[in-house]
Amino acid sequence: MRSLLERLFLPAFANQWLDARHDSAVMRIGAERIAFTTDTYVVSPLFFPGGDIGKLAVFGTVNDLAMAGARPLYLSAGFILEEGLPLAMLEIIVASMREAAAAAGVELVTGDTKVVDRGKGDAVFINTAGIGAAADVEISPRRVQPGDVIILSGDVGRHGIAIMSVRKGLSFETALESDCAPLWQPVSALLQKGVDVHCMRDLTRGGLASALNEIALDAGVAIAIDESAVAVCEPVAAACELLGLDPLYVANEGRFVAFVTAEHADRALDVLSGCTVSAQPRVIGTVGARGDAIVEALGALGNPRILDLLSGEQLPRIC
Ligand code: MG
């Protein structure tokens, strides 16, 4: 996907906003700084423990706005419906989107529906775009500096494993749900408390390892993390072992990393601890020198491994 972006889309449309390579484009319109983003949701199955495609389509886009330091305000939604989709199923998805929009404090203000022939879609695909009011401070990969501290907002892997549990018919002793949640509240708290946040990224497809690789590449820095500081709950760890997955690459829908100055790391931990969706934040690593964009993880025994950008998709149709 990244090479498709590099070779096709980015050169075709090159501009300062796209070149920032962030979760949202932030542009000035009159006196206002506006964040704008879009994402398409093809998750399979449509319903999974802790969420469904509708909830994901709202929170995913809201979170891409939040990662640029923008308060989510308005969404659009485009639905691609396969002929024969039961109306009752669509009603449940729409009700879920309405609830998610209310929880995230956004209004769905415009939309579209298209129907495709039976067999030419897969029940329902949803595209959402979002607009938010951006803070008057740049939060993007190009602000990442050597010495920045990397804070992870919670444990990893819940969303991907919740999806896989349905696909593979796994059951767990303790209930495992997707972490799917809106992230504006902790972001807003960080900004209000004056934490100098250089960059943030939500850990969606490709998980923590992919997010760190993207930022290392776009900021042109080395990143080192302490793998033992990355929390993985018991059912996720067990399922990853069973399925041969690396939890650092498994998708999340309610977790993010924040790159903050070393002086502000304690304050950031304090602020995040006070928010339900980021109640167990941890410092997981630091930004090293400029130059080689490399992400290194130190294991519990101190043996380092390189976290590569995966060439294939580890888990297709996870969001
Ligand atoms: Mg994102």
Side-chain angles (χ1 to χ4, degrees):
M1 193 54 71
R2 188 168 175 106
S3 76
L4 196 61
L5 286 174
E6 302 281 355
R7 282 176 21 215
L8 182 63
F9 295 111
L10 291 170
F13 302 106
N15 58 58
Q16 59 173 302
W17 300 281
L18 208 48
D19 292 346
R21 298 175 183 215
H22 198 20
D23 283 351
S24 291
V26 177
M27 59 274 285
R28 202 170 273 286
I29 300 180
E32 306 297 326
R33 290 181 83 237
I34 302 294
F36 181 37
T37 191
T38 186
D39 212 329
T40 303
Y41 300 85
V42 299
V43 67
S44 174
L46 296 173
F47 300 91
F48 49 84
D52 56 68
I53 191 172
K55 187 174 174 182
L56 208 57
V58 171
F59 290 161
T61 291
V62 155
N63 289 347
D64 278 342
L65 293 170
M67 292 303 104
R71 182 161 70 93
L73 293 172
Y74 304 108
L75 295 188
S76 72
F79 294 83
I80 297 170
L81 309 172
E82 185 189 10
E83 186 192 348
L85 170 74
L87 183 61
M89 192 184 278
L90 187 58
E91 283 172 349
I92 294 171
I93 292 167
V94 169
S96 173
M97 288 182 83
R98 184 183 54 210
E99 208 174 290
V106 293
E107 299 279 357
L108 202 159
V109 294
T110 185
D112 177 55
T113 56
K114 293 283 189 295
V115 176
V116 295
D117 292 341
R118 202 182 290 263
K120 297 287 168 65
D122 188 5
V124 54
F125 299 140
I126 304 176
N127 171 275
T128 51
I131 288 179
D136 227 353
V137 48
E138 186 188 348
I139 293 172
S140 81
R142 65 180 159 227
R143 282 201 63 216
V144 169
Q145 303 288 329
D148 279 358
V149 169
I150 305 165
I151 296 174
L152 171 62
S153 69
D155 67 335
V156 298
R158 287 175 184 264
H159 177 72
I161 296 302
I163 299 279
M164 292 308 283
S165 69
V166 182
R167 288 194 199 158
K168 305 273 184 188
L170 302 181
S171 56
F172 304 102
E173 272 173 42
T174 43
L176 178 73
E177 296 198 330
S178 166
D179 56 325
C180 188
L183 295 173
W184 170 241
Q185 192 212 354
V187 170
S188 142
L190 287 172
L191 298 178
Q192 271 174 21
K193 299 287 180 185
V195 175
D196 191 1
V197 182
H198 288 166
C199 187
M200 292 180 280
R201 181 136 306 170
D202 53 347
L203 311 178
T204 54
R205 192 176 54 185
L208 173 65
S210 302
L212 294 177
N213 266 285
E214 287 166 12
I215 290 174
L217 280 165
D218 296 339
V221 293
I223 286 176
I225 65 163
D226 171 7
E227 197 163 348
S228 63
V230 178
V232 180
C233 73
E234 217 291 308
V236 167
C240 282
E241 189 137 343
L242 190 70
L243 300 168
L245 298 172
D246 182 341
L248 300 192
Y249 288 87
V250 175
N252 310 269
E253 288 291 339
R255 298 286 184 265
F256 68 104
V257 283
F259 290 69
V260 306
T261 57
E263 310 83 77
H264 286 191
D266 285 340
R267 197 190 305 176
L269 287 170
D270 220 46
V271 170
L272 292 175
S273 306
C275 302
T276 320
V277 292
S278 57
Q280 271 151 358
R282 290 264 195 90
V283 168
I284 59 158
T286 50
V287 176
R290 288 199 190 283
D292 287 340
I294 191 170
V295 180
E296 199 172 36
L298 289 173
L301 303 170
N303 44 326
R305 65 170 174 139
I306 303 297
L307 300 179
D308 281 320
L309 257 187
L310 288 186
S311 48
E313 260 191 285
Q314 193 186 27
L315 300 174
R317 296 191 60 187
I318 208 78
C319 58

Coordinates of all heavy atoms in Angstrom, one line a residue, residues 150 209 212-213 216 221-227 230 248-249 284-286 288 292-299 302-308:
I150 N 8.1 8.7 23.4 CA 6.9 8.1 22.7 C 6.1 7.5 23.8 O 6.5 6.6 24.5 CB 7.4 7.1 21.7 CG1 8.3 7.7 20.7 CG2 6.1 6.5 21.0 CD1 9.1 6.6 19.9
A209 N 3.7 -1.2 15.2 CA 4.9 -1.3 14.4 C 4.8 -0.5 13.1 O 5.7 0.2 12.8 CB 5.3 -2.7 14.1
L212 N 4.8 3.4 13.8 CA 6.1 3.9 14.1 C 7.0 3.9 12.9 O 7.8 4.9 12.7 CB 6.8 3.0 15.2 CG 6.1 3.1 16.6 CD1 6.8 2.1 17.6 CD2 6.1 4.5 17.2
N213 N 6.9 2.9 12.0 CA 7.6 2.9 10.8 C 7.3 4.1 9.9 O 8.1 4.8 9.3 CB 7.4 1.6 10.0 CG 8.5 0.6 10.3 OD1 9.6 0.7 9.9 ND2 8.2 -0.4 11.2
A216 N 8.8 7.2 11.4 CA 10.2 7.2 11.3 C 10.6 7.6 9.9 O 11.5 8.4 9.6 CB 10.8 5.8 11.6
V221 N 13.9 9.8 11.0 CA 14.5 9.5 12.3 C 14.6 8.1 12.7 O 13.8 7.3 12.1 CB 13.8 10.3 13.5 CG1 13.9 11.8 13.3 CG2 12.4 9.8 13.6
A222 N 15.4 7.7 13.6 CA 15.4 6.3 14.1 C 14.5 6.4 15.4 O 14.4 7.4 16.0 CB 16.8 5.9 14.5
I223 N 13.9 5.2 15.6 CA 13.0 5.1 16.8 C 13.4 3.8 17.5 O 13.7 2.8 16.9 CB 11.5 5.0 16.4 CG1 11.1 6.4 15.9 CG2 10.6 4.5 17.5 CD1 9.6 6.5 15.4
A224 N 13.5 3.9 18.8 CA 13.8 2.7 19.6 C 12.7 2.6 20.7 O 12.4 3.5 21.4 CB 15.1 2.8 20.3
I225 N 12.1 1.4 20.7 CA 11.1 1.1 21.8 C 11.6 -0.1 22.7 O 12.4 -0.9 22.2 CB 9.7 0.9 21.2 CG1 9.6 -0.4 20.4 CG2 9.2 2.0 20.4 CD1 8.2 -1.0 20.2
D226 N 11.0 -0.1 23.9 CA 11.2 -1.2 24.8 C 10.0 -2.1 24.7 O 8.9 -1.7 25.2 CB 11.4 -0.6 26.2 CG 11.4 -1.6 27.3 OD1 11.4 -2.8 26.9 OD2 11.4 -1.3 28.5
E227 N 10.2 -3.2 24.1 CA 9.0 -4.1 23.8 C 8.3 -4.5 25.1 O 7.1 -4.7 25.1 CB 9.5 -5.3 23.0 CG 8.4 -6.1 22.4 CD 8.8 -7.0 21.3 OE1 10.0 -7.0 20.9 OE2 8.0 -7.8 20.9
V230 N 5.3 -2.4 26.2 CA 4.1 -2.4 25.4 C 3.1 -3.5 26.0 O 3.4 -4.7 26.0 CB 4.4 -2.8 23.9 CG1 3.1 -2.9 23.1 CG2 5.3 -1.7 23.3
L248 N 2.4 -6.5 17.9 CA 2.9 -5.1 17.6 C 2.3 -4.7 16.2 O 2.3 -3.6 15.8 CB 4.4 -5.0 17.6 CG 5.1 -5.3 18.9 CD1 6.5 -4.8 18.8 CD2 4.4 -4.6 20.1
Y249 N 1.9 -5.7 15.4 CA 1.4 -5.4 14.0 C -0.1 -5.6 13.9 O -0.7 -5.4 12.9 CB 2.0 -6.4 13.0 CG 3.5 -6.0 12.7 CD1 4.5 -6.6 13.5 CD2 3.8 -5.2 11.7 CE1 5.9 -6.3 13.2 CE2 5.2 -4.9 11.4 CZ 6.2 -5.5 12.2 OH 7.5 -5.2 11.9
I284 N 7.0 4.2 25.9 CA 7.5 2.9 25.3 C 8.8 3.1 24.6 O 9.4 2.2 24.2 CB 6.5 2.3 24.4 CG1 6.1 3.3 23.2 CG2 5.2 1.8 25.1 CD1 5.6 2.6 22.0
G285 N 9.2 4.4 24.4 CA 10.5 4.5 23.7 C 10.8 6.0 23.4 O 10.1 6.9 24.0
T286 N 11.9 6.2 22.6 CA 12.3 7.5 22.3 C 12.7 7.6 20.9 O 13.0 6.6 20.2 CB 13.6 7.9 23.2 OG1 14.5 6.8 23.1 CG2 13.2 8.1 24.6
G288 N 15.5 8.6 18.2 CA 16.9 8.7 18.1 C 17.4 9.7 17.1 O 16.6 10.7 16.8
D292 N 18.9 7.3 9.3 CA 18.2 6.1 9.0 C 16.9 6.0 9.7 O 16.8 6.0 10.9 CB 19.1 4.9 9.4 CG 20.3 4.7 8.5 OD1 20.3 5.3 7.4 OD2 21.3 4.1 8.9
A293 N 15.9 5.8 8.9 CA 14.5 5.6 9.4 C 14.4 4.2 9.8 O 14.0 3.3 9.0 CB 13.5 6.0 8.4
I294 N 14.7 3.9 11.0 CA 14.7 2.5 11.5 C 14.0 2.4 12.8 O 14.1 3.3 13.6 CB 16.2 2.0 11.6 CG1 16.2 0.5 11.8 CG2 16.9 2.7 12.7 CD1 17.7 0.0 11.6
V295 N 13.2 1.3 13.0 CA 12.5 1.1 14.2 C 13.0 -0.1 14.9 O 13.0 -1.2 14.3 CB 11.0 1.0 14.0 CG1 10.3 0.8 15.4 CG2 10.4 2.3 13.3
E296 N 13.6 0.1 16.1 CA 14.2 -1.0 16.8 C 13.4 -1.3 18.1 O 13.1 -0.4 18.8 CB 15.6 -0.6 17.1 CG 16.5 -1.8 17.4 CD 18.0 -1.4 17.5 OE1 18.3 -0.3 18.0 OE2 18.9 -2.1 17.0
A297 N 13.2 -2.6 18.3 CA 12.6 -3.0 19.6 C 13.5 -3.8 20.4 O 14.1 -4.7 20.0 CB 11.3 -3.8 19.3
L298 N 13.7 -3.3 21.7 CA 14.5 -4.1 22.6 C 13.6 -5.1 23.3 O 12.6 -4.7 23.9 CB 15.2 -3.1 23.6 CG 16.3 -2.3 23.1 CD1 16.7 -1.3 24.1 CD2 17.5 -3.1 22.6
G299 N 14.0 -6.3 23.3 CA 13.2 -7.4 24.0 C 13.5 -7.4 25.5 O 14.3 -6.6 26.0
G302 N 16.9 -7.8 26.4 CA 17.8 -6.8 25.8 C 18.3 -7.2 24.4 O 19.2 -6.5 23.9
N303 N 17.7 -8.2 23.8 CA 18.2 -8.5 22.4 C 17.3 -7.7 21.4 O 16.1 -7.9 21.4 CB 18.0 -10.0 22.1 CG 16.7 -10.6 22.7 OD1 16.2 -10.1 23.7 ND2 16.1 -11.5 22.0
P304 N 17.9 -6.8 20.7 CA 17.1 -5.9 19.8 C 16.6 -6.7 18.5 O 17.3 -7.6 18.1 CB 18.1 -4.8 19.4 CG 19.4 -5.4 19.6 CD 19.4 -6.5 20.6
R305 N 15.4 -6.3 18.0 CA 15.0 -6.7 16.7 C 14.5 -5.5 16.0 O 14.0 -4.5 16.6 CB 13.9 -7.8 16.8 CG 12.6 -7.4 17.4 CD 11.6 -8.4 17.3 NE 10.3 -8.1 18.0 CZ 9.1 -8.3 17.5 NH1 8.9 -8.8 16.3 NH2 8.0 -8.0 18.2
I306 N 14.6 -5.6 14.6 CA 14.1 -4.5 13.8 C 12.7 -4.7 13.5 O 12.3 -5.8 13.1 CB 14.9 -4.4 12.5 CG1 16.4 -4.3 12.8 CG2 14.4 -3.3 11.6 CD1 16.8 -3.0 13.5
L307 N 11.8 -3.7 13.7 CA 10.4 -3.8 13.3 C 10.3 -3.3 11.9 O 10.4 -2.0 11.7 CB 9.5 -3.0 14.2 CG 9.6 -3.5 15.7 CD1 8.7 -2.6 16.5 CD2 9.2 -4.9 15.9
D308 N 10.1 -4.1 10.9 CA 10.0 -3.7 9.5 C 8.6 -3.2 9.1 O 7.7 -3.6 9.8 CB 10.4 -4.8 8.6 CG 11.9 -5.0 8.5 OD1 12.6 -4.0 8.4 OD2 12.3 -6.2 8.5

